[in-house]
Amino acid sequence: MKTPAFEVFMTLNWEGIQPLYQQLEDIELTEESLDLWMEGWSDLRKLVDERYARLVLATRLDTTDEEKEKRFHDFLEHVYPSAQAADQCLKEKLLGSELTPKGMELALKKMQAEADLFCEDNLPLMTEERKLGTQYNKILGAQTVQWQEEELTLVQVKSAILTTDRAVRKELWELLSQRQLKDRGAINELWKKFLAVRGKLASNAGFPDYRAFRWQQQLRLDYSPKESRQFIDAVKEVVVPAATRVYDRYQSRLGIDQVRPWDLMNNQTTFSLPAIQAFKTEEEFTSRVGNILDCLDPVLGGYFKSMRENDLLDLMNRKGKGPGGFCTSFDTLGVPFIFMNAVGQGSDLRVLFHESGHAFHVFEQINLPYHHQWESGLEFAEVASTAMELLTEPYLSEDQGGFLSAEDAARTRLLNLEEKLLFWPYMSVVVDFQHWVYENHSLASNPDACDNKWSELIDYYMPGINWEGYEDVKMTGWHRKLHIHQAPFYYIEYGLASLGAFQIWENAQKDRAKALKDYRQSLALGGTATLPELYNAAGANLSFNADTGNHPGRIGKR
């Protein structure tokens, strides 16, 4: 089947796209026709997914451009639901044929899970949910504050807050928090709409609650909500005491009597004072990251070089740009694109290395013959990215082609390890909160109840931080966690990934070449292996119990 060029496909309405699906629907599936049919379906999926990715990216690059938002919403309303329904028919056609394309054994299991989940009544609800996510981005993207006669984005405020002057830190943090609280009512109203939509999604598909629906939608075939809870229980047992020791040590390091939110980055992570200024321009940023990746592994360095040469990076923060950082992919080209909000700080290095890990995953798995084989599962996708943060650490110093003095590089490595440790309790807050939300859907539809639960969980998992006098900021922390609103239940992946990444990092201390080879080979498996198999291929072990959790305990005692 011949598919149109992507530039042409971008202009097609559903009436122009539907015949492409119909051609596949009309072909009789036999052992002889199977391979060509799969290739045609794979190529069509790439076109649809790339169109979606480019339209989303456009709205994130400039949240103020109403025309870009309109194009995205038009696609969501008039093309994407119909494409999903047509794709579902092709899944059912392949499953009903009882034929198994080579290398598609696991993909077929996932496909069956998706087929069991599919409900045509949910397509407009999913569109509505995505549009709510766009509104959430617009609220956060518009947040700025005035500081010293200058308008700053909140990302720039978080950069300015890295000062040794604690009084200034407090003033900036209060300014930032007050601005965020101004949108409290708007985000609460959005939340009610999110919960209403998600309740209908679960009910329409015949699930007892949204958590069960979302678990299957995430294609989590290798572990259950029970094991998810086992993991955060292990964090409470092993990591929380270690994290509390880190906060105590940090208290001594700063010469303060208690750790307050303005003493931490994002109210959770220690930072180095004075702030480490790593670079000034995007060119300096990308060229030095390129040098580091070349030293680490020439193959990975080559991937990053191609991204630089083909304008597949948008890294610097600016007013109107959407929040956060992510890696998406342009599937017809088989290339990734990295989006982030850098301001020149040392912490920006970690973000770019993280997203580069996702990009390397794209490069490694594109040799798999079918688009359906590219989905490895988010847990392992985050191993790819988190491991890259750790593997690049030895090359941060200037004498290794990096950015930092030997002293700053050593501080950065220590802080990175501390950040990984301190992340686990925060991750547990997010995961536990979402379990509670979707086990108590009616109660959680009340934002005040969510405030109270979030505050309770912060005290439970992060007791080392004193929030006295700022309870309203503490309890609305869930407002500022993008995943809760836009990607529900996508967060334990980061915690599980850290365990895998630390094991890969430990392997690299013994044999870097083998660890990097195993890392790349595991990425190349894409979605053709189970989650435990992917971890094993990378030289790691997937586990949910407290014994594995002893790794962070050791870090906390260093």
Side-chain angles (χ1 to χ4, degrees), residues 2-13 17 20 42-58 75 79 328-335:
K2 183 173 176 58
T3 52
F6 179 73
E7 292 75 15
V8 174
F9 188 82
M10 279 290 285
T11 68
L12 296 179
N13 58 20
I17 295 171
L20 300 172
S42 178
D43 289 343
L44 185 52
R45 283 174 60 122
K46 291 175 187 177
L47 287 167
V48 173
D49 282 6
E50 182 167 339
R51 184 167 173 179
Y52 181 91
R54 286 186 182 271
L55 290 171
V56 171
L57 179 63
F75 175 75
V79 175
T328 189
S329 61
F330 303 151
D331 290 348
T332 68
L333 300 175
V335 297

Side-chain angles (χ1 to χ4, degrees), residues 301-374:
Y303 291 153
F304 189 78
K305 180 181 179 182
S306 73
M307 295 186 72
R308 292 184 65 200
E309 292 175 344
N310 291 286
D311 296 323
L312 296 170
L313 305 165
D314 190 299
L315 306 181
M316 305 304 287
N317 174 248
R318 58 182 175 270
K319 183 182 177 182
K321 190 174 182 180
F326 60 85
C327 176
T328 189
S329 61
F330 303 151
D331 290 348
T332 68
L333 300 175
V335 297
F337 184 100
I338 293 177
F339 169 103
M340 63 176 286
N341 281 276
V343 290
Q345 299 291 346
S347 57
D348 292 327
L349 308 183
R350 178 190 58 78
V351 176
L352 184 51
F353 288 131
H354 180 99
E355 300 306 335
S356 294
H358 287 308
F360 301 151
H361 209 164
V362 174
F363 281 117
E364 286 289 342
Q365 67 190 11
I366 58 173
N367 292 321
L368 292 166
Y370 306 127
H371 183 265
H372 313 68
Q373 298 170 312
W374 292 8

Side-chain angles (χ1 to χ4, degrees), residues 486-503:
Q486 291 187 324
F489 275 109
Y490 179 13
Y491 216 65
I492 191 173
E493 288 85 351
Y494 295 110
L496 294 172
S498 291
L499 284 181
F502 271 121
Q503 293 173 78

